Amino acid sequence: MNRMLGDKPLSTIFRLIVLSVVVGVVLALFGMSPFELLDSLRVTLLRVYHMGYSAFGWLFQYFLLGAVIVVPIWLISRLWGMMNGRDRA
């Protein structure tokens, strides 16, 4: 149990409680509540989910754009290494 928590369980729990109170005070100073924070997280996840399909198209375009440069350089470096007798892993 000590290995998983990094210290004695009661000590870890106490530090987590103190840190939670400090973070709670800081968030309250910014006018945030736990419910607003959770709702904001929910809205963010929904937005990411709804734009997910277009994000994959966007990601694929950047992948192709980068692969046009990266793959030939990788291939040339592998061939160069084989010609020099060094096979890199």
Side-chain angles (χ1 to χ4, degrees), residues 13-31:
I13 290 171
F14 178 74
R15 278 189 275 155
L16 286 173
I17 290 171
V18 170
L19 186 60
S20 295
V21 169
V22 170
V23 170
V25 168
V26 170
L27 289 175
L29 289 173
F30 288 111

Side-chain angles (χ1 to χ4, degrees), residues 32-42:
M32 299 179 79
S33 73
F35 300 111
E36 289 174 355
L37 196 59
L38 289 175
D39 190 50
S40 176
L41 178 64
R42 181 187 64 82

Side-chain angles (χ1 to χ4, degrees), residues 16-82:
L16 286 173
I17 290 171
V18 170
L19 186 60
S20 295
V21 169
V22 170
V23 170
V25 168
V26 170
L27 289 175
L29 289 173
F30 288 111
M32 299 179 79
S33 73
F35 300 111
E36 289 174 355
L37 196 59
L38 289 175
D39 190 50
S40 176
L41 178 64
R42 181 187 64 82
V43 168
T44 301
L45 291 176
L46 282 174
R47 285 182 183 167
V48 168
Y49 174 77
H50 289 300
M51 71 176 224
Y53 296 110
S54 63
F56 283 116
W58 165 86
L59 182 67
F60 189 68
Q61 283 180 333
Y62 283 124
F63 164 74
L64 287 178
L65 184 63
V68 167
I69 302 297
V70 171
V71 171
I73 291 174
W74 172 80
L75 186 60
I76 290 169
S77 73
R78 293 295 292 174
L79 291 173
W80 185 265
M82 286 173 35

